Amino acid sequence: MDLVFGFLLLYFCFKLIENPEFICQKCEWEETTVYAVMAADGKASCWMYSPKFEPHVLTLENLFVSPEARNEERGRKALRFCEEVAREHGYEKIDLKACRDTWMQKWYEREGYDVFGPDLDEPMKYVWMEKYMSDEDSQRVFA
């Protein structure tokens, strides 16, 4: 999703959750529930979605922190906020795609995300990762 669409979601969808640092807005779009998340100062953002055919999973995409705000824990705070949204709305896990064998994959692993498979379109470039929302240890809730 490009940045312009993300800002349109923030403008046209209703405000769902707001805390001093982040704003989250929810929108029903076709067969998908979409959440747009933005730091109150605009220096971090992402979006998440859950298709109707997989209502227990929330997929996180495009977590972005502006260059001047990096190394200030902005990414970690945004990720924690997204996890809070997922828990509050009954999602069982968050999925995301990360670049294979990079700082990004290692960072998500430190945040409790586990690799569960390669990206089918570009298996040598990306991996899919997941974190279960049932507890902080990512306890498996599916057999």
Side-chain angles (χ1 to χ4, degrees):
M1 172 191 286
D2 64 18
L3 193 58
V4 173
F5 185 67
F7 285 110
L8 288 173
L9 277 176
L10 281 171
Y11 183 77
F12 288 108
C13 299
F14 67 89
K15 192 176 293 181
L16 180 65
I17 297 172
E18 183 172 2
N19 72 21
E21 293 185 87
F22 292 94
I23 299 166
C24 177
Q25 293 182 302
K26 177 182 176 182
C27 185
E28 299 295 328
W29 184 55
E30 295 181 2
E31 294 295 314
T32 305
T33 302
V34 180
Y35 299 86
V37 175
M38 179 175 279
D41 64 4
K43 294 185 178 181
S45 63
C46 67
W47 66 284
M48 303 178 290
Y49 64 90
S50 179
K52 301 287 186 211
F53 64 85
E54 201 172 18
H56 62 281
V57 177
L58 194 58
T59 301
L60 173 72
E61 293 218 358
N62 297 339
L63 177 58
F64 174 78
V65 176
S66 63
E68 70 272 8
R70 292 185 182 156
N71 297 317
E72 297 176 5
E73 300 289 316
R74 299 290 184 102
R76 181 169 284 113
K77 289 177 182 178
L79 188 60
R80 293 288 176 260
F81 182 75
C82 291
E83 292 170 358
E84 176 187 330
V85 170
R87 284 185 188 95
E88 286 183 11
H89 291 87
Y91 292 99
E92 295 175 6
K93 72 173 184 164
I94 292 179
D95 286 352
L96 58 87
K97 186 165 62 170
C99 294
R100 177 187 291 273
D101 300 323
T102 64
W103 68 267
M104 185 187 306
Q105 179 181 338
K106 290 177 179 80
W107 185 79
Y108 282 116
E109 287 171 346
R110 286 193 306 271
E111 297 303 316
Y113 287 78
D114 298 313
V115 172
F116 71 90
D119 180 60
L120 297 178
D121 294 327
E122 297 183 81
M124 300 309 290
K125 188 172 182 180
Y126 298 105
V127 292
W128 278 98
M129 303 182 78
E130 64 188 357
K131 182 175 182 178
Y132 286 84
M133 299 293 102
S134 59
D135 64 33
E136 290 300 318
D137 295 325
S138 296
Q139 179 182 357
R140 298 292 183 253
V141 293
F142 299 113

